[in-house]
Amino acid sequence: MRLVNFCAGPCTLPLPVLKEAQAEFVDYHGEGMSLFEMSHRGPVYREVHDRALTLVKQVFGTPDGWEALFVQGGATLQFALVPLNLLGRGASAGYLESGVWGKKALADASHHGDVYAAWEGAAFDFRRMPAPDEIRVRPGTRYLHVTSNETIGGIRLVQFPDLGVPLVADMSSDFLSRAIPWDLFDLVYGGVQKNLAPAGMAVVFVRRSVLEDTNRDLASYLRYDVHAAADSLANTPPVFSIYMMGKVLTWMLDQGGLAAVEKLAEEKAALLYQAIDHSDGFYLSPVDPASRSLMNVVFRLADEEREQAFLSAAEQAGLVNLKGHRSVGGIRASMYNAMPRSGVEALVEFMSDFRRG
Ligand code: PMP
């Protein structure tokens, strides 16, 4: 039996994708070996690689003039690579401290450039994102870094701020679940292990014109321009993640592409928030309604002592990984693209039964 897996990442993958990969795992398309035993320079892998590169731009709707890069080291390495590549001498960058991940991005960037907090969510207990006019951008700012969705706090930036400064976004936890207003951005990155593929890399979208002016005085793997020039084959790539991502992207196209995926994400989140809001105070959402995440729904029981019983009973019912992040406690249901509506319906029904005792 497959459980309904609400893990924050890695997380559930589409079942048809898992089955397809299983069927061709040992002998890939009659080649007499698996794809993962072949040279990454050979034609069989190259086709998989190129298809994934094309599909990721197609499904994301990336405009001409942008590159997609596959880079190992997760989103965390991007916390360093963004300032290393983009911050030349004398330039600075602003960061939204919107939660755990925005803070980590700023802390890591501070080792590599002149960076500052352009807004601090601590004053609001990280329960909401800023309105554009609350963000303080200093003169000489090269980019403003935003975290589009704070995975632990369960808040999302609904409107990307247009402040005349290019945005750089960490979209790890709502990657490919919403349309991106590309004009506002110079760079968008995210780890793949929530919405796109098994763990193993980040996808980095970067404007080609930005690459003309990046820092060249870096070890080669750290340079965006090197990855772009080599079609993300500068060294041995994370073959399994790329292969699986190609399959997930094809599956997404079959579902109707980004627009359909975004609509489903809105519907799933609405179902769950309604269950919380209409529970006569039994369940509580600690998040400002205007900043509610569609991907990570965080909630509490009014009687916090019963949360453990809730989690145990949910697990018995096959609804797993609902425990909130260890730093904040409570309940968190992560509902990425591969979570079917039926999974959320099962959770909502369970919540209603639990409340009635
Ligand atoms: N940013 C966000 C918003 C995340 O949710 C995570 C992982 N949960 C990270 C960055 C770190 O990603 P990785 O583990 O791929 O380095």
Side-chain angles (χ1 to χ4, degrees):
M1 182 185 95
R2 263 178 76 77
L3 300 167
V4 186
N5 179 7
F6 292 96
C7 190
C11 64
T12 196
L13 287 162
L15 187 55
V17 166
L18 294 175
K19 287 192 167 157
E20 208 179 288
Q22 182 185 40
E24 62 190 23
F25 193 85
V26 174
D27 182 0
Y28 184 75
H29 294 193
E31 293 288 329
M33 63 180 78
S34 79
L35 184 69
F36 318 106
E37 297 164 293
M38 292 176 195
S39 167
H40 60 290
R41 305 276 172 213
V44 178
Y45 175 69
R46 184 69 204 226
E47 205 229 314
V48 170
H49 187 92
D50 289 347
R51 184 155 17 102
L53 270 177
T54 305
L55 273 172
V56 81
K57 285 196 252 185
Q58 180 189 342
V59 181
F60 268 87
T62 316
D64 288 345
W66 282 72
E67 295 280 352
L69 316 176
F70 302 152
V71 187
Q72 298 187 53
T76 301
L77 184 62
Q78 299 309 315
F79 295 166
L81 294 198
V82 167
L84 278 170
N85 280 270
L86 267 55
L87 282 186
R89 246 178 252 287
S92 62
Y95 279 69
L96 296 190
E97 275 198 333
S98 47
V100 170
W101 295 108
K103 283 173 70 172
K104 274 191 204 266
L106 174 58
D108 276 2
S110 70
H111 296 285
H112 304 295
D114 176 15
V115 291
Y116 63 90
W119 182 75
E120 289 168 70
F124 308 96
D125 215 10
F126 300 108
R127 285 168 201 262
R128 69 170 178 85
M129 287 286 186
D133 64 2
E134 292 177 292
I135 301 168
R136 295 281 164 258
V137 174
R138 298 180 190 160
T141 295
R142 168 68 186 82
Y143 63 82
L144 175 68
H145 182 282
V146 305
T147 307
S148 56
N149 185 78
E150 284 284 355
T151 322
I152 295 174
I155 56 174
R156 78 164 184 148
L157 196 56
V158 175
Q159 192 199 340
F160 292 107
D162 182 359
L163 301 171
V165 177
L167 300 180
V168 168
D170 171 5
M171 293 200 176
S172 292
S173 53
D174 63 358
F175 226 16
L176 203 44
S177 71
R178 64 196 293 188
I180 299 175
W182 294 97
D183 283 357
L184 297 179
F185 291 90
D186 264 2
L187 190 143
V188 168
Y189 67 90
V192 293
Q193 66 272 23
K194 301 178 198 299
N195 270 330
L196 282 172
M201 64 175 187
V203 177
V204 179
F205 294 100
V206 58
R207 242 179 228 286
R208 214 169 281 139
S209 58
V210 167
L211 291 174
E212 285 160 20
D213 197 26
T214 46
N215 184 6
R216 267 47 172 172
D217 188 18
L218 295 171
S220 60
Y221 198 83
L222 308 183
R223 286 173 51 177
Y224 289 139
D225 65 311
V226 168
H227 289 288
D231 292 332
S232 297
L233 277 165
N235 71 336
T236 318
V239 169
F240 188 67
S241 294
I242 292 169
Y243 158 79
M244 289 293 281
M245 191 178 76
K247 289 197 182 301
V248 172
L249 289 166
T250 305
W251 172 83
M252 278 185 190
L253 283 180
D254 291 345
Q255 308 299 301
L258 183 55
V261 164
E262 185 168 9
K263 185 162 168 280
L264 180 62
E266 283 164 5
E267 288 168 6
K268 287 185 297 188
L271 269 179
L272 187 46
Y273 284 118
Q274 264 165 34
I276 295 166
D277 292 344
H278 297 157
S279 68
D280 293 329
F282 189 86
Y283 301 109
L284 303 169
S285 162
V287 166
D288 183 325
S291 293
R292 284 175 166 181
S293 169
L294 304 185
M295 296 282 116
N296 311 99
V297 178
V298 168
F299 60 98
R300 310 272 340 190
L301 268 63
D303 179 359
E304 290 182 11
E305 307 236 306
R306 292 193 68 198
E307 284 175 351
Q308 194 45 53
F310 175 92
L311 291 168
S312 305
E315 207 165 305
Q316 290 288 312
L319 308 167
V320 299
N321 292 320
L322 282 163
K323 196 171 165 50
H325 190 267
R326 59 189 183 281
S327 62
V328 289
I331 320 287
R332 173 175 55 170
S334 296
M335 311 183 300
Y336 301 116
N337 292 343
M339 169 62 66
R341 185 199 307 265
S342 60
V344 181
E345 285 167 353
L347 174 59
V348 164
E349 196 181 321
F350 168 79
M351 287 166 66
S352 165
D353 291 349
F354 185 86
R355 175 157 74 96
R356 298 208 165 82

